[in-house]
Amino acid sequence: ILNVEQSPQSLHVQEGDSTNFTCSFPSSNFYALHWYRWETAKSPEALFVMTLNGDEKKKGRISATLNTKEGYSYLYIKGSQPEDSATYLCASLTGTASKLTFGTGTRLQVTL
Amino acid sequence: EPEVTQTPSHQVTQMGQEVILRCVPISNHLYFYWYRQILGQKVEFLVSFYNNEISEKSEIFDDQFSVERPDGSNFTLKIRSTKLEDSAMYFCASRGLAVYSYNEQFFGPGTRLTVL
């Protein structure tokens, strides 16, 4: 059974703090790992698609790393801003399947 | 920027009624999906659709569910006889060819279905 887990479930930080979340996934038959940012009442927004072990991707203040051998990915946010407040979802693709298997998400709240 | 749209944003229905949730995927995409999230739970896969047929479905997607692409733009999810446990946020997603997109799926904003 494929199980994707995320931690922490929620996080409350001050503006300017840097933070990171973890996504763990089964490493067998790995194909890709997706990170999404989801604000309430909006579409989940794709942040990164990661495929290679050791991959590191960056978009502005947000970056992510991938370890496919041990089955985890980290998402980092540098200098958090209130507009970063959202739920961050990771989702795994395995083998030849095209369906995404999601984690529970990490809800981030950034306050002034 | 092209986006996936869904209507309605919120649907309230009585148990046993039929509902149709509508989605307009990104126009040049070929693969279409429905997911749902019951409050407090993970987003879970329901069904994928390619070349006018279902390519994969989950255990949740039983005979009460059906999908259709009635024209060149819409992609619909029908629930024939809704149950209380069908109450959830339903997301539509679409993607282009994997060789170009690494299976990146673009999501709509969701339809919140409430079954009373």
Side-chain angles (χ1 to χ4, degrees):
Chain A
I1 296 174
L2 184 65
N3 217 19
V4 179
E5 301 293 342
Q6 290 185 249
S7 63
Q9 283 192 12
S10 64
L11 197 52
H12 191 163
V13 302
Q14 299 285 328
E15 183 183 14
D17 288 349
S18 293
T19 188
N20 64 84
F21 332 127
T22 305
C23 172
S24 63
F25 53 89
S27 53
S28 60
N29 294 320
F30 173 82
Y31 185 77
L33 193 283
H34 295 235
W35 280 101
Y36 286 89
R37 178 176 178 277
W38 181 28
E39 287 183 72
T40 305
K42 294 186 180 179
S43 303
E45 172 199 352
L47 288 174
F48 305 112
V49 180
M50 309 182 79
T51 56
L52 299 175
N53 186 44
D55 233 359
E56 183 167 344
K57 295 205 172 181
K58 191 173 179 184
K59 187 186 279 191
R61 295 179 289 100
I62 305 177
S63 61
T65 61
L66 180 68
N67 182 322
T68 60
K69 294 187 191 304
E70 295 180 40
Y72 64 83
S73 175
Y74 293 134
L75 187 82
Y76 301 91
I77 302 179
K78 187 177 175 183
S80 303
Q81 300 295 310
E83 58 264 29
D84 296 328
S85 298
T87 296
Y88 291 82
L89 296 165
C90 73
S92 177
L93 271 174
T94 55
T96 56
S98 66
K99 65 178 183 183
L100 291 170
T101 300
F102 281 85
T104 47
T106 293
R107 180 178 289 213
L108 173 68
Q109 190 172 354
V110 182
T111 52
L112 296 170
Chain B
E1 189 172 327
E3 58 183 17
V4 177
T5 59
Q6 289 185 243
T7 54
S9 57
H10 192 186
Q11 171 105 40
V12 181
T13 190
Q14 295 289 327
M15 192 169 56
Q17 295 296 302
E18 174 184 287
V19 295
I20 297 176
L21 309 183
R22 301 180 194 281
C23 168
V24 179
I26 293 172
S27 63
N28 61 348
H29 282 184
L30 302 174
Y31 299 82
F32 312 108
Y33 306 83
W34 284 100
Y35 293 83
R36 78 174 185 189
Q37 186 187 36
I38 294 171
L39 193 62
Q41 297 184 23
K42 295 181 180 182
V43 174
E44 51 190 355
F45 167 79
L46 292 177
V47 65
S48 58
F49 192 86
Y50 170 71
N51 200 26
N52 283 319
E53 59 183 28
I54 290 173
S55 46
E56 190 173 359
K57 60 183 180 179
S58 70
E59 290 175 357
I60 303 164
F61 195 88
D62 61 22
D63 292 344
Q64 292 300 313
F65 291 87
S66 61
V67 289
E68 196 176 30
R69 189 153 160 81
D71 51 41
S73 58
N74 290 286
F75 179 52
T76 62
L77 174 70
K78 183 194 288 188
I79 309 175
R80 285 192 187 82
S81 178
T82 49
K83 307 186 196 70
L84 294 176
E85 55 265 36
D86 293 328
S87 295
M89 179 75 90
Y90 287 80
F91 290 101
C92 171
S94 69
R95 71 169 174 93
L97 283 174
V99 67
Y100 300 121
S101 65
Y102 295 104
N103 288 339
E104 182 174 0
Q105 296 179 23
F106 294 80
F107 282 77
T111 292
R112 181 166 296 285
L113 176 66
T114 302
V115 182
L116 302 175

